[in-house]
Amino acid sequence: MTDVLDPPVHLEHHDDGHEEHHGPTGILNWLTSTDHKVIGLSYTVTSVIMLVIGGLFAEIVRGQLASPNGNLVSLAQYNELFTMHGSVMIYLFAGPFAFGALANIIVPIQIGAPDMAFPRLNALSYWLYLGGSITMLSGFFTAGGAANFGWVGYAPLSNSLNSPGSGADLWIGGLLLTGFSAIFTGVNLAATIFYLRAPGMTMFRMPIFTWNMLVTAILILLAFPVLTAGLIMLYCDRHFGTHIYSVAGGGVPVLWQHIFWFWGHPEVYILALPFFGMVTEVIAVFSRKPVFGYKGMIFATLTIAALSLGVWAHHMFTTGVVLLPFFSIMSLLIAVPTGIKMFNWIGTMWRGQVWFSTSMLMALGFLFTFLIGGLTGIYLASPPLDFFTHDTYFVIAHFHSVVMALVFGAMAGLYYWGPKITGYLLNERIGKIQFWFLFIGTQVFTFPLYILGLQGMPRRMAVYPNDPQWKTLNDISTLGAVLIGVSTIFFVINVVVSWKKYPAGDNPWDAQTLEWFTTSPPPHHNFYRLPQIRSERPTWDHNHPDHLSLHHGEHDGVHQTEGSPQ
Amino acid sequence: MPGFGASAGVTESSKSAFHLWQGFSIAAVIIGGLTVVLMLYAVLRYRRKGDAIPPQHQYHLPLEVFYTVVPILVVFGLFAATLVVENKATANPKTNVVVNVNAFQWGWQFLYPGTNALVYGQTTASPVMEIPVNTNVHINLTSTDVIHGFYVRAFNFSRYALPGVVNQFTIRAQSTGMFFGQCTQLCGLYHSLMFFRVKVVSASEYAAWLATFNNPTGIANAAAALKTTNAELASGVASKTSYTKFGR
């Protein structure tokens, strides 16, 4: 075991803390930088702003639904608001936050790379994303208002006859730009992970987060070009007189749904896998144990990715034009690898030392909320059950459990990696207050919606029949949405209060992976020296050479003394 | 047995869908409950008690195989149950009662081919589709503009009304009454007001209702409606009939 104690490899011969990089500073640095950490930070700030904007839309939507004949907004404005709420959250927050913000910053450091493989392409990705976001949101300032056909933009509602406004075109344009941004980031991540790993960092020594990002990148490359093509065809239908999605010219409206969901269901995992990766790291570190079933976890991720390419039509069971049993069994089977992950997470905590930091609480919030979202998803994989829950609030509740779980994952990631990125910790006390508001708010928000859906309330209703029970359930849900809003305010307060207050040090969590071996924040090209990489947690091996990972049946070796000084 | 939030409904297939729902729910409660208990136990029992480093166990192959194989078996069980109910829900037995349902922005038209009956209404006018009890009623569902959703909660069933496609399904209501229906697929400005109702009546009442249309106005209305509808549907429909084969 002594070989792990080999002296670290020195990459450069100068003192720690002396930054050799002399680029521009301040705003010029932000505008011109190709450093993955600067770009990643821009992504982080932009996507969190998008989270707040999307959240504000949601609060207005919930405000409108507080009474059956709400008149907070008009019918037309309501359609714009839920469309842009979904669009902002899915296209402009969840994805860019996962692969633009955290993966961009963390993946190169986790594998010991100096930067992304294509730094300028990385910068282009960010500017396309920012441009796309502004383009999409600018629809609100046009005469016809923003896009109003739902975030799925079903044809023929989205054609020029039914949605003539330029808000719809800006939606398409914004989505094309962010789509290209995602594709370029996917290329960049895959190339970085395949070609820029440090010596010793074999594929099966990569942290789970990096693994998940690799699989995400591949899914992006498979799925996003399909959406891009679909959007261009939609644009042609709108402006160039083609009839790809319209019956009148011999086109097929359902084709849009096939194209959209062929992107849309892998997209669900493009969004989810990064957050799975984040909580995997967080749970391992705050249980002071290796990831349980590391290899099983990777195979589960690969299985989910493979299956996710064959389940798109479970969004289309009620169209009556898809082969039900095939898409049903494929969708049901996704529960298996997802279940493996769930049990692996529990196994990671088992017999560990579970430390309730804010980050860990957020990860536990993810586990519970995702469990609810996952279990209710199994119902929707069964066509007869989907027939009566499709397009009702049951579906809304299901995927909000899932995406709120991702928000927990995002927060876990921010509290965990924030100190590495900025060099400063966030306040734990305020963080825990934020967690409880978010956790209770999420459950209070979603549970009434499940019941509401089963009682037959369809989605996307600006007004609803005056049924006292529907009103009560809607009011409880609105209360939950308010609690979630309050939790966001606590997050903002936390950032302000903790601003450059609590220096983090290199490794405040006694974490395990390579990014915690370098300084916080890391120097320009990330590392002055690297440890020997002999497992998927080189920093842990370096700090705790007597506590290496064990296989089933193995016992800690003679070197180990329980509670030995570190 | 508890309904887990859903209800049995009034048709044959709504009841089997409800039983399937109950089965899924029992599985979900058992698996979910077990997972929550394991999670809580791990979190509370192994909460941090000091700085000691716990044993670094990473693999336990038999356990991992166990929680891979058992879910696969559960999934195939659920799938088998799904297939049985699905085949019932999508079956189209022979019947004489046919209703052509045309959805449009923002209302419904119910045509009864072979009779003069015609019902038409927009938004909150909430047109009534009248059907006989304990009889297979064959529905031909389509749309003349954007996509709509035909959804009756009491039937535990919904189906898209797609332009260019005629979706076919059969319902068999087992009790009489008035049931609320609504468009579930976003279809534009007045989507949230696109209501309809289904009135299930006895066979004699149904026949009497059909007869009320046998007068010069009714006959003229039905003929005009048929002409307009056929013209609207003619735009590309004929070439798309093969498209319905998977949904039957």
Side-chain angles (χ1 to χ4, degrees):
Chain A
M1 218 176 275
T2 48
D3 56 354
V4 181
L5 290 167
D6 289 350
V9 185
H10 283 264
L11 296 178
E12 294 176 39
H13 296 280
H14 52 67
D15 296 334
D16 285 14
H18 277 86
E19 181 61 66
E20 59 162 354
H21 179 67
H22 296 294
T25 50
I27 186 124
L28 204 59
N29 177 39
W30 175 67
L31 284 170
T32 60
S33 182
T34 57
D35 182 340
H36 71 105
K37 297 182 289 297
V38 177
I39 295 168
L41 204 55
S42 306
Y43 258 114
T44 310
V45 172
T46 314
S47 58
V48 171
I49 290 172
M50 291 302 154
L51 174 67
V52 173
I53 292 175
L56 284 175
F57 294 163
E59 299 294 344
I60 303 173
V61 163
R62 288 311 320 169
Q64 165 76 7
L65 295 175
S67 63
N69 274 309
N71 50 15
L72 186 62
V73 292
S74 69
L75 295 182
Q77 287 167 331
Y78 185 82
N79 286 0
E80 289 172 39
L81 281 168
F82 70 69
T83 298
M84 293 309 280
H85 163 67
S87 300
V88 167
M89 288 304 203
I90 300 281
Y91 305 127
L92 307 182
F93 160 65
F97 180 85
F99 46 76
L102 284 187
N104 209 342
I105 299 175
I106 299 302
V107 163
I109 319 182
Q110 271 197 335
I111 59 173
D115 203 318
M116 292 285 258
F118 309 114
R120 289 182 194 184
L121 189 67
N122 197 18
L124 178 64
S125 285
Y126 172 71
W127 294 107
L128 283 175
Y129 160 58
L130 184 66
S133 302
I134 294 168
T135 306
M136 192 185 285
L137 284 168
S138 62
F140 280 110
F141 304 108
T142 63
N148 60 0
F149 36 61
W151 73 279
V152 296
Y154 272 11
L157 185 62
S158 53
N159 69 12
S160 54
L161 185 71
N162 293 298
S163 303
S166 49
D169 293 320
L170 291 166
W171 182 85
I172 294 171
L175 197 41
L176 279 171
L177 293 173
T178 53
F180 276 114
S181 153
I183 292 167
F184 296 154
T185 304
V187 170
N188 226 333
L189 280 170
T192 308
I193 293 169
F194 280 133
Y195 291 107
L196 292 187
R197 280 170 286 127
M201 179 62 78
T202 60
M203 292 298 274
F204 278 105
R205 289 178 191 165
M206 296 197 311
I208 292 288
F209 178 68
T210 294
W211 254 110
N212 282 25
M213 288 320 304
L214 175 62
V215 178
T216 304
I218 293 168
L219 276 182
I220 288 174
L221 295 182
L222 290 169
F224 266 84
V226 179
L227 176 71
T228 305
L231 284 167
I232 291 170
M233 289 193 278
L234 181 61
Y235 195 87
C236 291
D237 260 16
R238 287 176 62 84
H239 295 290
F240 304 143
T242 60
H243 293 282
I244 296 161
Y245 305 121
S246 74
V247 178
V252 182
V254 176
L255 176 64
W256 167 261
Q257 294 183 34
H258 280 290
I259 291 175
F260 184 85
W261 290 116
F262 187 82
W263 161 83
H265 208 82
E267 165 73 0
V268 172
Y269 292 98
I270 290 169
L271 299 183
L273 290 178
F275 295 98
F276 288 175
M278 288 175 209
V279 297
T280 308
E281 306 273 309
V282 167
I283 288 172
V285 166
F286 293 105
S287 305
R288 307 199 82 192
K289 277 186 61 196
V291 175
F292 183 74
Y294 168 80
K295 284 186 183 166
M297 206 74 154
I298 293 166
F299 288 120
T301 305
L302 292 170
T303 311
I304 288 177
L307 287 172
S308 80
L309 290 162
V311 299
W312 75 90
H314 71 217
H315 298 269
M316 302 163 59
F317 282 154
T318 62
T319 57
V321 296
V322 295
L323 185 59
L324 302 175
F326 172 78
F327 289 104
S328 174
I329 186 64
M330 292 293 276
S331 309
L332 283 168
L333 276 174
I334 288 196
V336 176
T338 315
I340 293 175
K341 280 178 179 288
M342 190 58 84
F343 292 121
N344 280 348
W345 287 321
I346 295 171
T348 305
M349 295 189 286
W350 209 258
R351 296 201 181 134
Q353 290 267 12
V354 180
W355 171 7
F356 295 122
S357 65
T358 304
S359 182
M360 184 63 177
L361 286 175
M362 292 291 183
L364 294 173
F366 167 91
L367 286 194
F368 181 78
T369 314
F370 186 74
L371 176 68
I372 305 288
L375 287 173
T376 51
I378 294 174
Y379 291 87
L380 296 171
S382 174
L385 302 181
D386 181 76
F387 288 164
F388 74 92
T389 47
H390 183 76
D391 270 341
T392 71
Y393 264 88
F394 186 84
V395 173
I396 302 286
H398 154 67
F399 73 73
H400 277 84
S401 286
V402 173
V403 292
M404 284 310 296
L406 305 187
V407 172
F408 280 104
M411 286 299 159
L414 277 177
Y415 276 87
Y416 175 63
W417 277 312
K420 175 53 64 183
I421 301 164
T422 62
Y424 295 93
L425 296 159
L426 285 165
N427 186 304
E428 281 287 302
R429 187 182 293 267
I430 302 175
K432 281 171 190 169
I433 297 172
Q434 182 201 348
F435 165 76
W436 285 109
F437 270 97
L438 185 60
F439 185 72
I440 294 167
T442 300
Q443 316 313 331
V444 172
F445 163 63
T446 51
F447 271 98
L449 297 186
Y450 285 111
I451 303 166
L452 211 46
L454 292 172
Q455 297 204 346
M457 178 158 162
R459 65 193 293 194
R460 294 167 173 161
M461 304 248 289
V463 292
Y464 51 91
N466 194 356
D467 178 326
Q469 207 180 355
W470 282 22
K471 177 173 159 44
T472 312
L473 289 166
N474 269 305
D475 285 350
I476 297 170
S477 182
T478 302
L479 171 70
V482 170
L483 294 179
I484 296 170
V486 172
S487 86
T488 314
I489 294 171
F490 274 107
F491 177 66
V492 175
I493 291 174
N494 200 351
V495 172
V496 173
V497 167
S498 316
W499 193 259
K500 296 199 170 176
K501 203 166 173 187
Y502 316 107
D506 292 357
N507 189 359
W509 319 119
D510 191 11
Q512 305 171 352
T513 42
L514 205 51
E515 75 271 28
W516 301 98
F517 194 81
T518 186
T519 53
S520 310
H524 181 61
H525 276 144
N526 296 343
F527 292 95
Y528 293 120
R529 59 196 189 113
L530 284 170
Q532 294 285 343
I533 299 167
R534 298 289 164 84
S535 75
E536 82 280 5
R537 38 183 206 160
T539 304
W540 175 274
D541 292 345
H542 185 263
N543 292 339
H544 306 284
D546 292 338
H547 296 275
L548 303 181
S549 302
L550 300 169
H551 280 256
H552 175 47
E554 274 185 350
H555 295 284
D556 287 11
V558 286
H559 308 280
Q560 197 241 341
T561 333
E562 201 61 43
S564 58
Q566 305 307 324
Chain B
M1 215 195 307
F4 300 98
S7 53
V10 296
T11 65
E12 216 168 74
S13 56
S14 79
K15 283 166 191 164
S16 36
F18 175 64
H19 295 316
L20 184 66
W21 173 270
Q22 290 176 312
F24 267 62
S25 298
I26 289 165
V29 167
I30 292 171
I31 296 168
L34 186 75
T35 313
V36 170
V37 167
L38 284 173
M39 220 183 274
L40 283 178
Y41 183 83
V43 167
L44 299 176
R45 168 74 178 76
Y46 302 114
R47 66 186 183 278
R48 190 181 188 184
K49 297 191 191 72
D51 281 334
I53 293 179
Q56 300 292 301
H57 288 289
Q58 187 163 29
Y59 293 102
H60 191 303
L61 203 57
L63 187 64
E64 290 178 64
V65 169
F66 174 77
Y67 62 61
T68 307
V69 171
V70 171
I72 291 177
L73 297 178
V74 173
V75 157
F76 276 97
L78 294 175
F79 181 60
T82 292
L83 278 187
V84 172
V85 179
E86 179 186 298
N87 287 338
K88 269 191 213 169
T90 55
N92 271 323
K94 255 188 129 52
T95 174
N96 293 323
V97 184
V98 178
V99 188
N100 290 343
V101 180
N102 301 322
F104 57 90
Q105 286 173 324
W106 289 273
W108 303 87
Q109 183 194 49
F110 304 107
L111 279 170
Y112 293 72
T115 77
N116 295 321
L118 156 76
V119 182
Y120 172 96
Q122 289 200 45
T123 61
T124 46
S126 199
V128 181
M129 178 174 99
E130 204 152 320
I131 56 168
V133 73
N134 289 325
T135 311
N136 291 327
V137 178
H138 186 90
I139 308 272
N140 293 315
L141 176 67
T142 190
S143 160
T144 49
D145 40 48
V146 301
I147 299 171
H148 301 275
F150 177 96
Y151 168 65
V152 183
R153 187 195 167 223
F155 296 170
N156 278 347
F157 188 78
S158 74
R159 188 52 70 83
Y160 279 0
L162 295 166
V165 175
V166 178
N167 260 324
Q168 310 183 29
F169 55 91
T170 302
I171 42 180
R172 187 186 177 89
Q174 294 179 314
S175 36
T176 58
M178 184 77 95
F179 305 105
F180 182 71
Q182 193 170 357
C183 173
T184 46
Q185 177 60 34
L186 178 68
C187 55
L189 193 59
Y190 296 103
H191 161 62
S192 30
L193 299 171
M194 196 171 146
F195 302 132
F196 66 98
R197 284 166 292 170
V198 178
K199 189 178 180 189
V200 182
V201 295
S202 69
S204 54
E205 281 175 279
Y206 177 68
W209 176 75
L210 284 182
T212 61
F213 292 90
N214 294 336
N215 54 55
T217 329
I219 292 164
N221 280 347
L226 203 63
K227 207 175 153 196
T228 337
T229 310
N230 285 344
E232 280 169 340
L233 297 179
S235 47
V237 179
S239 61
K240 299 294 182 303
T241 41
S242 62
Y243 214 64
T244 60
K245 79 178 173 198
F246 290 140
R248 279 182 293 166

